[in-house]
Amino acid sequence: MSQPFSGVGYVPSADELIDIAFGRASRRAVKVPKGPVEARVRAKERDRIRIAGSVLAGRLKSIVQRFPDLERIHPFYRELADVLVGVDELKKALGALMKASRIIEKLRRTYLLELRRASTISEAGRLRREAYGRMASVVKKIARYLDFLRDAVPKLAKLPSIDPEVPTIVVAGYTNVGKSSLVKAVSTAKPEVASYPFTTKSIVLGHRDTPHGRIQIIDTPGLLDRPLSERNRIELQAILALKHLADVIIFLIDPTPTCGFPLESQLRLLEEVRESFPDTPMIIAVNKADIATDEQIRAVRGAVGQDIHVISALRGDGLEELMREAVEVMFSREGQLGPQAEGP
């Protein structure tokens, strides 16, 4: 499943739209080889108005139609779009374009009707110039909305292609604790690395086949890897958007000094993630069992207040047990097991 804004494409500026429409009208206007001069001129001006109006109205309508229905897209993507560009502003801009398309279409019909009654060459030319002027004026009035969409589309296109309908494990924990290594180790195929517009790093998305169907495993570097108190508004909203995605959270802890963050800081982040996702089951795993001491692992056990998995993403220790519990927890949640477990 591709993300909903991937097919929007290029949005022209107001000046570009006007140049395209009037240029095409001039090139494609019909040439009438026979008949009175007045009739030939009137036919040519009629085609100019018809083509220019159709191109402008059609292009504006097409831009709107290429955007997904903002009321029907998954809340995960709607909230991310709101973080990036503002959903209300997006709706306003698209509404302005649709209204302009209808106005231009009405102008096109009105001037084509008036042109039928034009009795002289000069009157036909005047009506065509007047139609061009009014159509161009309509487009220029929505120039700021076109510019807004031109700026918004590249940002929205950077959203990762995640299927919100697929059961998902989100991996959390401080930087350098081994989150991406875990995703790669438990994925059945090479994980995808995609842009995530809220961080300086890239999201790592893996898939895994289970008896209940395929699941997603996501590392969100730059989001769930440092205290919420250090976040700006955009990052906080992006984190909240994950509540629509996470069915299970695996919180990874590195008890060794190699990640650069003391255990106390990692435990504080653990509590903040718990508070941000109170309704999402969380499994705690201690990574780097290949180098961690028994004392370091016992320190985590004594601090977290729940059972933990001891794993090594590098060596593969404990990974199958960890994933087995994550899948069992995920599909035992209300509404998950039945539909996913059904098959031919």
Side-chain angles (χ1 to χ4, degrees), residues 257-275:
T258 58
C259 75
F261 300 98
L263 178 59
E264 293 76 14
S265 297
Q266 297 183 61
L267 294 175
R268 283 196 296 271
L269 179 61
L270 169 61
E271 290 308 311
E272 290 191 342
V273 173
R274 275 177 170 161
E275 291 173 3

Side-chain angles (χ1 to χ4, degrees), residues 30-324:
V30 68
K31 293 181 180 179
V32 182
K34 295 181 180 179
V37 173
E38 290 82 358
R40 293 166 60 189
V41 170
R42 191 164 52 245
K44 187 172 185 178
E45 300 293 33
R46 180 194 64 224
D47 268 19
R48 284 179 172 176
I49 293 173
R50 179 181 58 80
I51 293 170
S54 295
V55 170
L56 287 174
R59 289 292 182 99
L60 291 172
K61 186 177 181 180
S62 174
I63 293 169
V64 176
Q65 291 177 335
R66 293 201 305 267
F67 274 84
D69 185 339
L70 297 174
E71 296 299 328
R72 299 183 66 180
I73 62 173
H74 194 278
F76 171 70
Y77 277 113
R78 187 165 57 247
E79 289 197 19
L80 293 188
D82 196 35
V83 173
L84 282 176
V85 301
V87 167
D88 288 342
E89 290 79 3
L90 198 55
K91 290 179 180 177
K92 187 176 181 181
L94 295 173
L97 264 63
M98 203 64 198
K99 182 178 179 181
S101 174
R102 290 193 293 266
I103 292 173
I104 290 171
E105 178 58 28
K106 184 176 179 179
L107 287 171
R108 184 182 74 89
R109 292 195 302 267
T110 297
Y111 278 96
L112 286 177
L113 186 61
E114 290 190 19
L115 198 60
R116 290 181 182 178
R117 298 192 287 265
S119 57
T120 65
I121 293 176
S122 62
E123 186 179 3
R126 178 187 63 78
L127 287 170
R128 192 265 304 165
R129 289 190 297 273
E130 187 176 302
Y132 272 20
R134 292 184 67 181
M135 290 178 185
S137 177
V138 172
V139 175
K140 288 177 180 178
K141 285 180 180 178
I142 60 165
R144 68 184 185 278
Y145 296 114
L146 287 165
D147 290 341
F148 169 81
L149 294 174
R150 283 163 60 84
D151 181 63
V153 167
K155 296 176 182 177
L156 295 170
K158 289 181 180 179
L159 289 172
S161 293
I162 298 172
D163 190 343
E165 303 303 327
V166 173
T168 301
I169 295 171
V170 171
V171 182
Y174 256 97
T175 304
N176 299 327
V177 299
K179 300 191 301 295
S180 295
S181 297
L182 173 62
V183 174
K184 293 173 184 177
V186 299
S187 298
T188 54
K190 184 178 179 181
E192 304 168 27
V193 179
S195 173
Y196 207 88
F198 312 105
T199 76
T200 57
K201 301 178 183 179
S202 296
I203 191 170
V204 179
L205 170 65
H207 296 86
R208 183 180 180 91
D209 293 319
T210 77
H212 307 293
R214 174 160 284 203
I215 65 171
Q216 296 175 139
I217 310 146
I218 298 174
D219 169 28
T220 54
L223 285 182
L224 297 180
D225 65 359
R226 69 180 193 273
L228 299 186
S229 60
E230 299 177 9
R231 302 297 183 175
N232 59 39
R233 181 189 62 82
I234 290 178
E235 290 174 316
L236 288 172
Q237 285 186 255
I239 290 169
L240 291 176
L242 289 173
K243 70 179 180 289
H244 299 294
L245 206 62
D247 295 295
V248 173
I249 294 173
I250 293 178
F251 192 93
L252 210 56
I253 293 176
D254 179 358
T256 75
T258 58
C259 75
F261 300 98
L263 178 59
E264 293 76 14
S265 297
Q266 297 183 61
L267 294 175
R268 283 196 296 271
L269 179 61
L270 169 61
E271 290 308 311
E272 290 191 342
V273 173
R274 275 177 170 161
E275 291 173 3
S276 298
F277 298 83
D279 300 321
T280 304
M282 182 180 293
I283 299 171
I284 299 173
V286 175
N287 193 24
K288 303 186 182 178
D290 47 312
I291 59 174
T293 66
D294 290 342
E295 182 180 357
Q296 290 168 335
I297 294 172
R298 282 197 300 270
V300 178
R301 277 202 172 99
V304 299
Q306 69 179 75
D307 292 337
I308 63 172
H309 286 262
V310 179
I311 68 167
S312 170
L314 180 64
R315 203 166 58 189
D317 301 359
L319 297 186
E320 288 305 313
E321 293 82 0
L322 172 64
M323 294 307 298
R324 188 179 302 116

